[in-house]
C-alpha cells in the first residue's frame, strides 16, 4: 500500500523553492500599476512600456523550456542557488535603473530566476508527493505563488537556511552525461521573441512580414531539430497525447486572460475611474487572495472527485464573470471591479489549477518533468502574449475603456471555445477507459 505521509524534509524542500518562486510572481505584475507614470518618465507609449512585463515573461518562458534538462543535469540545489543570485542581482539592477534599457535588463535577470524556480517547485511536488495527495499539493504550490509574499529571496534565503534548505540536494538525481540541444533551444527562443514582436508591432497598423517569416521558419526548424536530435531539450512528442494537449491549451489561455486584465484594469481605474495608483492596484488584491487560499481546497477536491466537474464549473464561473464585466464596462468603478475580479479569479483558479494538475498527473512519471516544462513555459509565453495584446487594446484611439471592453469580449469568446476543448478532452478520456 502506497504511503500518503509526506516527510518533513520533503515539505521543507518544496517550501524553500516556493518562497523564491513567490518572489518571482510578485515581481511579475508589481509594476503594472506604475505604467502610467513610467510612460511619462521615459516619454514613451503604453505599448512600449508594457515590455517591462513582456521582457520579464519572455525571459521566464525561454528559461522554463530548459528546466527538465537543468534539473537532471545539475540537480535542484545548484538551480535554487543560481536562481537566488540572479533574482537578487536583477532586483538591484532594476531598483537603481535610470533608463528603460537598464530597467529591462534587471527585469530579464529576474525573469531568468523565476523561470528556474517555478518549474523546479512543481517538479519537486511531482517527484516527492504521493499520488493520492498530488492535487492538494499542486494547489498549495499555486497558493504560495498566488499570494506572492512581499519578502524577496534575500530574506527568504535566510529563513530557508534556518528551515533546512539543504534537503533540496537529495530530491533529484543528477545525470552529468546529458547533452543539451542548444540548437533547438535557440530556434525556440527566436520563434517566441519574433512571434511577440509581430503582435507588438500591430500597433503601427501593419504586419511585419520579416518577423513573421522568421517566426515561422524558426518554429518549423525547431520541430524538425527536436524530432531528429539525440540531445536533450523539450520532449515535444508529448503533444501526441491528445488529453495533455487539450488540457494544456485552456491552462495557457487562463494565464493569457489573467495577465492581460492585470495590465488593463489598474490602468483603466486610474485613467477612467480617477482612482489613485494604490487603489487601482488594491482592486485586484481581494480576488488574488480568494483564488490563492482556495487553490489547496480545489486541489483536495481534485483528489476526491477528479478533474471534469471542477473544470466545467470553474470555466462556467470564469465565463459568467467576463460576460458581466463586458456588459458593464462603462459602469465599472472601483467596487464593481473588485467584486467582479473576485468572481473571475475564483472561476479561473478552479479551472486553471485543476487543468494544470490533470494535464501532468495523467502522464507516466518519466514524462512528467518534460510535461511540466512545456506547461510552465507555455503559460508564461501566453502571459506575455496576453500582456502584449492587452496593451494593444489599451492603446485604442477610443480610450482605455473601449480597449478594456473589446478585450473582455475577446476573452468571453475564448472562454466559450474552452468548453468545447474540455468536452473533447472528457470524451477522449472516457473512450480510453
Amino acid at each position: 500500500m502506497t504511503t500518503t505521509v509526506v516527510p518533513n524534509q520533503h515539505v521543507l524542500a518544496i517550501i524553500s523553492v516556493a518562497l523564491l518562486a513567490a518572489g518571482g510572481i510578485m515581481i511579475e505584475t508589481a509594476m503594472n500599476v506604475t505604467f502610467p507614470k513610467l510612460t511619462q518618465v521615459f516619454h514613451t507609449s503604453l505599448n512600449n512600456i508594457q515590455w517591462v512585463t513582456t521582457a520579464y515573461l519572455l525571459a521566464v518562458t525561454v528559461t522554463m523550456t530548459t528546466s527538465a534538462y537543468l534539473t537532471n543535469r545539475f540537480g535542484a540545489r545548484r538551480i535554487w542557488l543560481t536562481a537566488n543570485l540572479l533574482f537578487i542581482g536583477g532586483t538591484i539592477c532594476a531598483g537603481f535603473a535610470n533608463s528603460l534599457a537598464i530597467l529591462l535588463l534587471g527585469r530579464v535577470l529576474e525573469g531568468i530566476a523565476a523561470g528556474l524556480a517555478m518549474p523546479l517547485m512543481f517538479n519537486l511536488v511531482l517527484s516527492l508527493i504521493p499520488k493520492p495527495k498530488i492535487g492538494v499539493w499542486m494547489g498549495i504550490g499555486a497558493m504560495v505563488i498566488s499570494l506572492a509574499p512581499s519578502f524577496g529571496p534575500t530574506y527568504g534565503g535566510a529563513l530557508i537556511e534556518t528551515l533546512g534548505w539543504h534537503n533540496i540536494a537529495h530530491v533529484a538525481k543528477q545525470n552529468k552525461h546529458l547533452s543539451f540541444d542548444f540548437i533547438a533551444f535557440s530556434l525556440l527562443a527566436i520563434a517566441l521573441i519574433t512571434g511577440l514582436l509581430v503582435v507588438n508591432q500591430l500597433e503601427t497598423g501593419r504586419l511585419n512580414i520579416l518577423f513573421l517569416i522568421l517566426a515561422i521558419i524558426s518554429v518549423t526548424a525547431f520541430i524538425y531539430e527536436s524530432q531528429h536530435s539525440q540531445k536533450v531539450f523539450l520532449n515535444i512528442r508529448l503533444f501526441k497525447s491528445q488529453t495533455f494537449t487539450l488540457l494544456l491549451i485552456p491552462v495557457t489561455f487562463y494565464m493569457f486572460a489573467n495577465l492581460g486584465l492585470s495590465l488593463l484594469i489598474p490602468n483603466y481605474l486610474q485613467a477612467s475611474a480617477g482612482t489613485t495608483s494604490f487603489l487601482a492596484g488594491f482592486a485586484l488584491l481581494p480576488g488574488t487572495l480568494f483564488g490563492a487560499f482556495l487553490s489547496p481546497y480545489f486541489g483536495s477536491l481534485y483528489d476526491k472527485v477528479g478533474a471534469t466537474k471542477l473544470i466545467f464549473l470553474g470555466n462556467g464561473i470564469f465565463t459568467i464573470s467576463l460576460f458581466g464585466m463586458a456588459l458593464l464596462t462603462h459602469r465599472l468603478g472601483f467596487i464593481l471591479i473588485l467584486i467582479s475580479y473576485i468572481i473571475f479569479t475564483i472561476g479561473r483558479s478552479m479551472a486553471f489549477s485543476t487543468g494544470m494538475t490533470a494535464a501532468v498527473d495523467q502522464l507516466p512519471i518519466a514524462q512528467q518533468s518534460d510535461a511540466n516544462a512545456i506547461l510552465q513555459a507555455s503559460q508564461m509565453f501566453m502571459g506575455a502574449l496576453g500582456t502584449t495584446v492587452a496593451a494593444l487594446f489599451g492603446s485604442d484611439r477610443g480610450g482605455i475603456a473601449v480597449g478594456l471592453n473589446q478585450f473582455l469580449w475577446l476573452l468571453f469568446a475564448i472562454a466559450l471555445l474552452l468548453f468545447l476543448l474540455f468536452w473533447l478532452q472528457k470524451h477522449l478520456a472516457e473512450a480510453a477507459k
Side-chain angles (χ1 to χ4, degrees):
M1 182 175 180
T2 303
T3 180
T4 58
V5 177
V6 182
N8 288 336
Q9 65 267 31
H10 292 176
V11 173
L12 296 177
I14 293 171
I15 290 175
S16 301
V17 181
L19 288 175
L20 178 59
I25 291 294
M26 175 194 68
I27 290 295
E28 179 182 319
T29 56
M31 295 193 68
N32 286 351
V33 73
T34 69
F35 282 3
K37 181 66 176 178
L38 290 178
T39 57
Q40 299 174 14
V41 171
F42 295 115
H43 307 290
T44 189
S45 67
L46 175 64
N47 200 49
N48 288 330
I49 286 296
Q50 59 87 23
W51 278 97
V52 170
T53 294
T54 301
Y56 169 90
L57 292 172
L58 270 176
V60 174
T61 302
V62 172
T63 304
M64 280 181 171
T65 63
T66 68
S67 63
Y69 167 80
L70 292 176
T71 300
N72 291 324
R73 174 64 178 82
F74 298 105
R77 178 193 287 184
R78 290 184 182 179
I79 295 174
W80 185 86
L81 288 172
T82 301
N84 259 288
L85 292 174
L86 286 171
F87 193 95
I88 294 170
T91 301
I92 293 173
C93 181
F96 288 95
N98 56 5
S99 69
L100 183 57
I102 299 298
L103 178 59
L104 289 175
L105 174 61
R107 295 286 281 175
V108 167
L109 292 175
E110 292 171 341
I112 294 173
L116 292 172
M118 283 187 277
L120 178 60
M121 182 188 68
F122 287 107
N123 278 334
L124 293 183
V125 170
L126 291 169
S127 62
L128 298 179
I129 301 301
K131 190 174 180 64
K133 290 185 176 290
I134 283 290
V136 68
W137 273 88
M138 290 288 279
I140 290 173
M143 179 192 72
V144 172
I145 289 179
S146 297
L147 285 175
S150 58
F151 51 86
T154 305
Y155 175 74
L159 181 62
I160 292 162
E161 194 74 36
T162 304
L163 290 176
W165 67 273
H166 291 84
N167 288 298
I168 295 176
H170 306 295
V171 300
K173 295 181 179 179
Q174 298 181 40
N175 185 346
K176 297 182 179 180
H177 301 291
L178 292 176
S179 182
F180 183 66
D181 193 340
F182 186 77
I183 294 176
F185 167 74
S186 300
L187 289 169
L188 182 58
I190 292 170
L192 294 174
I193 293 170
T194 52
L196 276 182
L197 287 172
V198 168
V199 177
N200 180 259
Q201 293 193 3
L202 291 177
E203 185 194 26
T204 63
R206 62 184 181 86
L207 181 66
N208 191 311
I209 300 298
L210 177 61
F211 282 149
L212 179 60
I213 293 174
L214 185 57
I216 293 173
I217 292 175
S218 299
V219 168
T220 304
F222 162 71
I223 294 173
Y224 179 85
E225 171 69 15
S226 297
Q227 291 179 333
H228 293 83
S229 175
Q230 299 301 313
K231 298 181 179 180
V232 178
F233 182 45
L234 280 183
N235 181 13
I236 64 171
R237 294 176 180 84
L238 286 172
F239 286 107
K240 292 181 180 179
S241 169
Q242 293 177 317
T243 53
F244 172 73
T245 304
L246 289 172
L247 288 170
L248 168 72
I249 294 172
V251 165
T252 62
F253 271 111
Y254 289 131
M255 185 64 76
F256 175 94
N258 189 41
L259 294 192
L261 286 182
S262 72
L263 182 144
L264 281 179
I265 287 177
N267 284 279
Y268 163 81
L269 284 173
Q270 292 178 79
S272 296
T275 62
T276 64
S277 59
F278 171 77
L279 287 178
F282 182 81
L284 307 182
L285 181 60
T288 301
L289 293 176
F290 266 95
F293 284 117
L294 285 173
S295 289
Y297 176 67
F298 297 148
S300 67
L301 288 178
Y302 170 87
D303 292 328
K304 295 175 182 177
V305 304
T308 302
K309 293 180 180 179
L310 293 174
I311 284 174
F312 278 96
L313 177 59
N315 196 61
I317 297 171
F318 174 77
T319 304
I320 291 171
S321 69
L322 291 169
F323 182 70
M325 285 192 285
L327 279 181
L328 302 173
T329 301
H330 295 285
R331 299 180 184 177
L332 289 178
F334 174 78
I335 298 298
L336 194 53
I337 279 187
L338 187 148
I339 296 172
S340 300
Y341 194 76
I342 289 175
I343 299 171
F344 164 85
T345 304
I346 290 174
R348 184 197 66 83
S349 296
M350 183 185 296
F352 172 79
S353 60
T354 303
M356 183 172 62
T357 303
V360 178
D361 193 29
Q362 50 92 29
L363 293 170
I365 294 176
Q367 296 179 345
Q368 289 184 346
S369 179
D370 280 299
N372 184 48
I374 292 172
L375 196 64
Q376 299 293 326
S378 299
Q379 288 177 46
M380 290 300 106
F381 176 75
M382 288 299 287
L385 184 62
T387 301
T388 302
V389 172
L392 287 175
F393 278 94
S395 301
D396 189 277
R397 293 181 179 179
I400 194 167
V402 172
L404 175 61
N405 181 255
Q406 294 173 343
F407 188 69
L408 286 167
W409 282 119
L410 172 64
L411 296 182
F412 174 71
I414 290 173
L416 294 178
L417 290 176
L418 296 186
F419 277 116
L420 176 60
L421 295 181
F422 288 137
W423 180 85
L424 288 173
Q425 188 274 330
K426 176 178 177 292
H427 177 74
L428 289 171
E430 291 175 346
K433 292 182 180 179

